[in-house]
Amino acid sequence: MIRAIRDARPLGGHAPIDVTISDGVITGIHPAGTIAAGEGVIDLEGRFLLPGLWDEHVHLTQWAQHRRRLDLSGASSAREVADRVADARSHAAPGDTIVGGGFRDGLWPDAPSAALLDTAAPDHPVVLVSADVHCAWLNSAALDRFGAGLPAAELEGARTSGLLREEAAFAVTRQLDAAPDDVLDEWVAAAAREAAARGVVGVVDLEMRWSVDDWRRRTAAGFDGLRVEFGVYPQHLDRAIEAGLRSGAVVSETVSVGPLKVITDGSLNTRTAYCCDPYPEEAEHPYGLLTVPPCDLHPLLARASEAGFELAVHAIGDGANKVALDVFQKLGRGGRIEHAQLLHDSDLARFAALGVIASVQPEHAMDDRDVAERFWPGRTRRSFALRSLLDAGATIVLGSDAPVAPLDPWIAIAAATTRSRDGREPFHGEQAITPAEALAASTRSLVAVGARADLIAVDTDPLSASGDALRTMPVALTLLGGRVTHAALPQLARS
């Protein structure tokens, strides 16, 4: 364990400091030079010291799997995806399922089809998960293998398009989670180590599994690399209540129960986000999909609240956000809206008034900006309206929604503060927030006496760094409760 840090530079231009730590808590902050070198003392040599970072929305098991799947994130057409699948087939064992992820078909010049994947991999089931995770593209063999139990109409439609959306897609991706527990757990542990190397000390894990058993098993085996708050979904609420679970219930020193998570609509790229205005070119569901109507959402959230759960509602479209805010108002309590991506002007002030936190993923703005211009034209100033939310008094927290975006808060901070990536003009730069605001939305503590010693050290001042520098910010040290979880330099070796 680390007992002190020497020669650290706090943010904001303050004089260098030494910090003492005991039992995982900051016990003193002193002028630099107060603490002598010695065992358990780290000399930061003038590096910047700040609170550890949180990713407030991840799917940790899916992220761990995604890192080992066929990457389709750069594909610009259905044909290009099929070519990548054909190449993967040449390296696959007979009968193996080819699994890929990260495709974005909203702007493709050609349409996905089951036949296209059948030609690319005639002897292998193929399951490709969209970047927003709300859509899956399958070939005929995969529909045969994973389609049992799906509604007949959806399965029949997918025989042509190859596409499954929302709950049908989720049903397939849940079957892909069937790797042995020890394999999944090692993948998750590796993902946690990589997150710590980016300064992450905690995540809200909203995996769509019965996560209690997973985290009990992992912590029993020694997992302690991150603080984890894991969510519960409506299909597991009865089971959770019967087990005596509630938000804040402790599983281990670093793992606890998080919120009830409810998905009320889809996504913009899949054109299933529930919106107040119709999508152009969308005939089947012109306004998207409201998957949980108010008459079901209110009693569900009321029951979870009475059982002691915090509430998190997935809402991307402005229509879905309005429905969620209406239900929070009726409940008379706050919670979180996950994504809050497309908002109506009349709803901005309601977040603060109702005590509803906007849990947002700024990097999605970089991924969805062109899709928004096509499918949400004339309204994109209300897309990822972070500045407007803060100016209206709302609290925002930042996340990645990994695997939709990388589990790396520095990427989210860069997107929130620059509204740009790859040298493009800012996407509604008037909605940018300051680096200080983005850091506050990415941390849960302070460098202060009595705070947990969840701390990181970086070489560059993030308050003055460029967007590119923020995205690649080197992290020299990560401490979790005074324990080293990442050290990049020899003198910062693991204690």
Side-chain angles (χ1 to χ4, degrees):
M1 295 290 286
I2 302 303
R3 64 179 181 85
I5 294 171
R6 301 180 67 212
D7 193 17
R9 293 165 68 186
L11 297 181
H14 301 289
I17 56 174
D18 291 348
V19 177
T20 54
I21 299 169
S22 179
D23 295 326
V25 174
I26 296 173
T27 56
I29 297 177
H30 315 277
T34 303
I35 306 299
E39 185 177 353
V41 177
I42 290 178
D43 193 332
L44 290 187
E45 300 176 339
R47 293 180 177 86
F48 292 88
L49 183 70
L50 56 151
L53 304 177
W54 275 74
D55 189 317
E56 293 281 348
H57 186 132
V58 306
H59 303 269
L60 200 52
T61 299
Q62 290 184 59
W63 170 241
Q65 293 171 313
H66 173 81
R67 295 162 64 250
R68 290 164 170 79
R69 291 174 174 171
L70 177 63
D71 182 10
L72 305 173
S73 58
S76 58
S77 68
R79 169 54 61 186
E80 183 178 347
V81 168
D83 290 344
R84 294 191 190 187
V85 169
D87 181 67
R89 170 181 173 257
S90 67
H91 306 290
D96 277 0
T97 299
I98 297 172
V99 182
F103 75 86
R104 298 178 182 275
D105 63 328
L107 300 176
W108 284 353
D110 53 351
S113 70
L116 190 59
L117 293 183
D118 290 345
T119 301
D123 305 320
H124 296 265
V126 178
V127 180
L128 310 178
V129 182
S130 65
D132 57 30
V133 198
H134 284 257
C135 176
W137 179 13
L138 287 70
N139 69 350
S140 297
L143 288 167
D144 291 338
R145 176 172 291 187
F146 299 106
L150 294 180
E154 292 198 54
L155 188 58
E156 186 60 30
R159 293 290 179 188
T160 301
S161 70
L163 297 178
L164 296 170
R165 293 184 170 89
E166 302 308 325
E167 186 51 45
F170 299 154
V172 171
T173 56
R174 282 194 289 267
Q175 295 179 65
L176 298 178
D177 291 348
D181 288 343
D182 59 338
V183 173
L184 278 180
D185 292 350
E186 175 49 40
W187 291 352
V188 168
R193 290 191 291 271
E194 289 197 7
R198 301 302 298 137
V200 178
V201 297
V203 298
V204 178
D205 180 25
L206 298 174
E207 194 62 66
M208 296 175 67
R209 297 162 57 98
W210 173 247
S211 295
V212 181
D213 293 343
D214 291 333
W215 285 112
R216 284 175 175 161
R217 183 182 67 249
R218 291 165 186 164
T219 55
F223 180 97
D224 61 359
L226 297 172
R227 301 195 190 280
V228 177
E229 296 176 0
F230 62 86
V232 172
Y233 280 75
Q235 64 266 30
H236 301 132
L237 180 59
D238 288 344
R239 183 178 180 184
I241 292 172
E242 291 171 4
L245 299 180
R246 57 191 295 125
S247 295
V250 173
V251 172
S252 75
E253 183 180 348
T254 58
V255 176
S256 61
V257 180
L260 175 82
K261 164 80 179 296
V262 185
I263 299 175
T264 65
D265 73 340
S267 69
L268 181 61
N269 184 75
T270 308
R271 278 83 72 202
T272 48
Y274 182 65
C275 295
C276 297
D277 299 286
Y279 292 103
E281 310 169 35
E282 184 64 37
E284 185 178 3
H285 300 290
Y287 293 88
L289 292 172
L290 186 64
T291 54
V292 183
C295 59
D296 294 332
L297 183 61
H298 178 262
L300 173 61
L301 295 186
R303 182 163 186 262
S305 180
E306 290 168 1
F309 281 92
E310 298 299 321
L311 308 174
V313 177
H314 164 117
I316 287 183
D318 55 352
N321 276 275
K322 188 175 293 291
V323 166
L325 289 167
D326 288 347
V327 171
F328 277 121
Q329 184 170 358
K330 188 174 181 181
L331 287 170
R333 61 152 298 170
R336 289 165 52 129
I337 290 183
E338 304 296 329
H339 308 303
Q341 180 172 337
L342 312 173
L343 298 176
H344 199 279
D345 286 331
S346 62
D347 288 326
L348 290 167
R350 299 178 70 197
F351 280 83
L354 298 174
V356 175
I357 295 168
S359 172
V360 297
Q361 296 75 42
E363 183 69 354
H364 293 5
M366 304 300 94
D367 294 325
D368 282 2
R369 60 185 295 175
D370 296 323
V371 173
E373 295 290 359
R374 176 171 176 179
F375 294 112
W376 220 55
R379 301 180 292 278
T380 55
R381 66 176 179 80
R382 298 189 272 117
S383 177
F384 299 93
L386 308 190
R387 179 77 269 151
S388 294
L389 282 165
L390 285 181
D391 288 349
T395 297
I396 66 172
V397 294
L398 305 189
S400 65
D401 199 13
V404 182
L407 201 174
D408 186 341
W410 293 108
I411 291 176
I413 291 167
T417 55
T418 67
R419 306 282 293 198
S420 179
R421 186 179 68 194
D422 300 327
R424 296 186 66 179
E425 286 295 313
F427 177 58
H428 289 286
E430 74 277 5
Q431 291 293 350
I433 62 176
T434 68
E437 290 167 334
L439 283 168
S442 303
T443 57
R444 291 193 175 186
S445 62
L446 300 170
V447 181
V449 174
R452 281 175 173 169
D454 292 355
L455 301 167
I456 64 173
V458 297
D459 292 345
T460 302
D461 183 354
L463 298 184
S464 58
S466 68
D468 288 343
L470 286 170
R471 284 181 175 272
T472 58
M473 178 69 70
V475 177
L477 173 71
T478 305
L479 297 182
L480 188 71
R483 176 169 47 84
V484 176
T485 57
H486 164 72
L489 300 175
Q491 64 268 34
L492 304 180
R494 182 181 295 274
S495 60

